Amino acid sequence: MAHILIVEARFYEHLNDLLLDGVRSAVEAAGHSHETVTVPGALEVPAAIAMAAESGRYDAFVALGVVIRGETYHFEVVSNESARGIMALTLDGLAIGNGILTVENEAQALARARKTEKDKGGEAAKAALAMLALRERFA
Ligand SMILES: Nc1c(NC[C@H](O)[C@H](O)[C@H](O)CO)[nH]c(=O)[nH]c1=O
Ligand SMILES: CC(=O)[C@@H](O)COP(=O)(O)O
């Protein structure tokens, strides 16, 4: 049984709850355990994963969050840099599924966060587990 750390950027409470439901359902359906830590925003997710990885206590990670475009360039910074940081960690060998939504509005976020719709949380969980299995295959 693998132990999965969910790192959530809790910027929008209700959207995160929907994403978390999808992640937890997918991880439990696969027979694994999980725990969750919360950071302020998506920009803090890569560092939180890096810190947690040093503990050696987790087999894989799921990044969660919602970035909704506002009036400024900050949307691009938050979206692109959180993705870049997560990608860098995966290239260092960590099994991570990226479930950070980057959307234009709340309607787009809801359609992707709900387990009964696009279930991006479940999708990220399955990606993390797939990469964990791949790493074990190559071990
Ligand atoms: N606008 C959103 C943010 N912004 C906050 C940043 O992620 C970060 O916490 C801050 O810049 C301090 O370092 N974060 C989200 O997750 N979603 C947003 O829509
Ligand atoms: C994605 C963001 O950082 C966004 O919520 C910030 O809004 P604004 O660009 O209007 O400051």
Side-chain angles (χ1 to χ4, degrees), residues 9-12 16 39-45 64-70 74-75 77-78 82 100-101:
R10 201 157 185 90
F11 210 78
Y12 300 97
N16 272 57
V39 295
L43 280 182
E44 283 75 41
V45 169
L64 282 188
V66 180
V67 186
I68 299 178
R69 187 182 296 278
H74 200 229
F75 172 82
V77 171
V78 175
S82 59
I100 297 176
L101 306 183

Side-chain angles (χ1 to χ4, degrees), residues 68-114:
I68 299 178
R69 187 182 296 278
E71 298 174 354
T72 71
Y73 187 72
H74 200 229
F75 172 82
E76 279 77 8
V77 171
V78 175
S79 301
N80 295 339
E81 292 306 300
S82 59
R84 187 177 63 82
I86 291 166
M87 184 59 67
L89 292 169
T90 65
L91 294 174
D92 282 343
L94 295 184
I96 307 173
N98 187 349
I100 297 176
L101 306 183
T102 54
V103 295
E104 298 299 325
N105 53 57
E106 181 170 352
Q108 288 182 353
L110 282 168
R112 288 153 180 79
R114 288 190 178 114

